[in-house]
Amino acid sequence: GQQVMQIPQYQHVQEGEDFTTYCNSSTTLSNIQWYKQRPGGHPVFLIQLVKSGEVKKQKRLTFQFGEAKKNSSLHITATQTTDVGTYFCAGPFSSNTGKLIFGQGTTLQVKP
Amino acid sequence: ETGVTQTPRHLVMGMTNKKSLKCEQHLGHNAMYWYKQSAKKPLELMFVYNFKEQTENNSVPSRFSPECPNSSHLFLHLHTLQPEDSALYLCASSQDVGPYYSNQPQHFGDGTRLSIL
């Protein structure tokens, strides 16, 4: 069945270092969404990418959607302790039913 | 304040108990979702409702029974659960589902932490 894989599963960085998480789908996606879940919190929507090759920025966060629309990445420049959490990508399984397939997430730890 | 409120926040129940989880959204959305989040596992979609109609049942065991009386409220009725059902249960809502809405962003509640003894 359709799968969305994320790597790495965990990443520990020193504050100020960069961080990247990668998302790969077994099928072409019409769009991809990214969410962040802080420890003890709930997933919060960050962004949606729709177009092939699309790049979007939110301050220190850069999101990319691959040309083939089967992969995506999230890059954080100069991490801060507030970036700690788990980052999930999610792709639509079916737009008719609203079903999203979530990746297993990348948990980021930032050492001050 | 997320606009999606879940109660209770924590629930401990025995395997023979019957309990219900409640979700209410104040965002004017038409679609609501139940997810299960277990340690070291991806978020698992359980059910989707759009305009009170169930559009997705992701092969969920019958011991979980959803109810959606209107677009603002969603319940998950629990009975004879198993220890492996212990998890965080998250409710979410989005504006709508369907081919014209391209899977709109989902807004999550804080979840109910469920422990089965």
Side-chain angles (χ1 to χ4, degrees):
Chain A
Q2 183 181 5
Q3 287 188 312
V4 175
M5 306 296 291
Q6 260 185 277
I7 55 169
Q9 190 174 358
Y10 299 98
Q11 184 84 57
H12 295 252
V13 299
Q14 197 71 40
E15 190 172 21
E17 291 181 339
D18 292 356
F19 159 77
T20 304
T21 173
Y22 300 91
C23 181
N24 293 288
S25 170
S26 57
T27 59
T28 301
L29 301 171
S30 60
N31 65 82
I32 195 158
Q33 298 178 14
W34 284 91
Y35 292 79
K36 177 184 178 182
Q37 185 173 19
R38 287 200 163 97
H42 58 270
V44 174
F45 173 78
L46 293 176
I47 208 160
Q48 184 179 52
L49 304 171
V50 179
K51 299 177 185 174
S52 169
E54 189 171 14
V55 178
K56 285 189 176 180
K57 292 191 175 184
Q58 288 180 350
K59 297 183 180 177
R60 293 177 295 102
L61 277 61
T62 302
F63 302 85
Q64 288 189 304
F65 200 11
E67 294 289 342
K69 301 183 79 173
K70 294 182 73 173
N71 57 73
S72 181
S73 65
L74 158 59
H75 179 82
I76 303 178
T77 304
T79 54
Q80 299 175 359
T81 54
T82 52
D83 296 325
V84 165
T86 301
Y87 294 85
F88 295 96
C89 62
F93 181 85
S94 166
S95 62
N96 288 328
T97 67
K99 182 174 179 177
L100 282 180
I101 303 291
F102 280 81
Q104 61 267 55
T106 296
T107 299
L108 173 64
Q109 295 280 2
V110 179
K111 296 177 235 178
Chain B
E1 181 63 43
T2 70
V4 180
T5 304
Q6 287 188 245
T7 54
R9 292 294 307 277
H10 302 272
L11 178 62
V12 179
M13 57 187 285
M15 288 192 284
T16 58
N17 292 157
K18 289 185 181 181
K19 295 285 184 184
S20 295
L21 309 185
K22 180 183 175 183
C23 177
E24 183 175 1
Q25 58 96 1
H26 310 275
L27 300 169
H29 290 165
N30 297 313
M32 296 188 77
Y33 311 75
W34 279 117
Y35 286 89
K36 176 183 179 183
Q37 188 173 39
S38 306
K40 300 181 181 179
K41 280 190 174 182
L43 232 58
E44 297 173 66
L45 179 70
M46 300 174 73
F47 302 102
V48 183
Y49 279 82
N50 193 39
F51 288 101
K52 304 188 298 179
E53 298 297 321
Q54 189 179 111
T55 61
E56 182 75 39
N57 177 337
N58 200 26
S59 303
V60 180
S62 59
R63 56 186 185 270
F64 295 92
S65 175
E67 179 190 358
C68 189
N70 55 61
S71 294
S72 299
H73 294 86
L74 185 64
F75 296 89
L76 188 62
H77 303 299
L78 316 171
H79 64 100
T80 59
L81 295 192
Q82 304 298 310
E84 61 265 27
D85 297 322
S86 297
L88 180 67
Y89 288 85
L90 290 160
C91 173
S93 71
S94 68
Q95 184 61 52
D96 214 322
V97 300
Y100 301 108
Y101 296 95
S102 188
N103 296 97
Q104 296 197 348
Q106 296 185 11
H107 298 256
F108 287 81
D110 289 328
T112 295
R113 176 71 61 184
L114 176 65
S115 299
I116 306 300
L117 300 178

